[in-house]
Each structure stands twice: as structure tokens, then as C-alpha cells.
Amino acid sequence: MKVPSLPKKQFAPKALETGLLFKQMPSWWVTLYAYVLAGLFIYASHLFFTWLPPYIYEVFKNLRGLPTTWADLGIFWAQRGLTVIAIAAALYHQLWQIGTRYILTEQEIRVESWFPVRKVSSIPLAAVRRYSFQQNLIAVVLDFGMVEIDTASQNAVTLPNCPQPQIFLDQLKPVVSAHLKS
């Protein structure tokens, strides 16, 4: 006797999504900048902890009853702790950047992210009332920026580190105006 089975659903690949106008991940330049800042922070903390021991030993001599070896342990682990925090912050930013996508279709703006939790935000194009973007000098040179999308019913949605914001808004403008006319 054969067991009946349900027919399998056919899923369209995400790359062939209908009406896809723009699909990008946040800029890699900002992630590189996070690692540069982490490296500079680690270097500065190394310089600070090379300068600190004579002063911390003097403090421990004045705190009666505490051995100066504790100062050595405290300096050692404080420096390692700050290094770990700096690397973890840059790694967190990289994982966020890898796991985030900005998608513009003919029907909606969708922000998909999976780090630190899976989250998908969708803004129907009929709800978009105003949009803009900001860039500082580095962002102009590296062609990324922060896009802000204002809707009537909810808070403004920001797309931080959006690559090619001018192209994104050029794609968005005719679609939003078509939705506003209808």
C-alpha cells in the first residue's frame, strides 16, 4: 500500500524575485573602518598600559593590605579585556553587515537582517511620504550614506551604510510617485 504524499511547493529563487529594483548589503567600507578603529584603540590601550604600571603600583602601596601582584594581574587582564571588547565590536559590526540586505521592489522596501536576531521589516511603497539621504565627506568619496524613509503611520526608517544611496533614491522616486498617483 502506497502512502499518499502532499505535492511539493515550487519556490521561486530570491534572485528572480519579481519587480526587483535594488538589492544591496551595507557598505564594506564601514566594516573596514570599524576594524581600523579597533586597531587604533588596541594600540592606544597598549600605550596607556605601558605608561600606567608605576602609578598603579604607587596606588597599591598606599592601599594598605593589598599586594602589588594584584596590580600586575589587574593591568594584565584589563588590557586583554579592552582588546577583546574592541575586536568583538568590530566583529559584531561585520556580522551585522554580512547579514543585512536592503531590497527595493515594485511593491515594497524590505530590510532583512539575521544578526543578532532574524528580522524582516517591510514598508509598502504606498506608505512612503518622504525620503532623503545623508553623507559625510568619507561617505561621498566611498559612495555610501544613510537613507531615511518617512511614512505617515510609523517612525522614520533608516537604512544605515546604504551603498549607492543616490541610485537607491533614483529607483525609489518613480515607483513612489506612481503609487501616490494611484
Side-chain angles (χ1 to χ4, degrees), residues 18-131:
T18 58
L20 183 65
L21 301 174
F22 184 89
K23 182 176 183 179
Q24 290 286 335
M25 63 194 310
S27 176
W28 278 98
W29 290 110
V30 180
T31 303
L32 179 65
Y33 182 63
Y35 278 105
V36 168
L37 281 179
L40 289 173
F41 182 80
I42 290 168
Y43 178 70
S45 72
H46 171 72
L47 290 178
F48 176 76
F49 282 106
T50 338
W51 165 79
L52 181 69
Y55 301 103
I56 200 76
Y57 290 143
E58 196 63 37
V59 169
F60 266 74
K61 285 179 188 174
N62 291 332
L63 294 173
R64 311 241 186 260
L66 293 177
T68 55
T69 54
W70 287 14
D72 290 332
L73 284 173
I75 291 171
F76 178 81
W77 288 110
Q79 185 176 4
R80 297 318 179 270
L82 288 175
T83 301
V84 166
I85 289 170
I87 292 171
L91 186 62
Y92 176 90
H93 191 81
Q94 181 178 5
L95 290 173
W96 170 83
Q97 187 265 340
I98 289 172
T100 302
R101 297 290 179 274
Y102 303 135
I103 301 169
L104 172 64
T105 66
E106 292 177 349
Q107 301 299 319
E108 66 182 352
I109 300 168
R110 197 167 55 240
V111 179
E112 299 176 351
S113 65
W114 63 266
F115 189 80
V117 294
R118 176 83 172 138
K119 181 180 178 185
V120 178
S121 301
S122 176
I123 305 166
L125 292 178
V128 174
R129 297 293 174 246
R130 186 179 57 86
Y131 44 86

Side-chain angles (χ1 to χ4, degrees), residues 146-157:
M146 183 178 77
V147 175
E148 183 177 311
I149 300 165
D150 190 18
T151 60
S153 62
Q154 48 182 283
N155 295 335
V157 176

Side-chain angles (χ1 to χ4, degrees), residues 149-170:
I149 300 165
D150 190 18
T151 60
S153 62
Q154 48 182 283
N155 295 335
V157 176
T158 58
L159 310 178
N161 309 330
C162 183
Q164 305 167 338
Q166 187 65 48
I167 294 173
F168 180 81
L169 292 182
D170 289 344

Side-chain angles (χ1 to χ4, degrees), residues 128-149:
V128 174
R129 297 293 174 246
R130 186 179 57 86
Y131 44 86
S132 63
F133 75 96
Q134 297 178 31
Q135 291 179 304
N136 59 19
L137 183 60
I138 294 173
V140 170
V141 171
L142 300 176
D143 197 21
F144 69 90
M146 183 178 77
V147 175
E148 183 177 311
I149 300 165

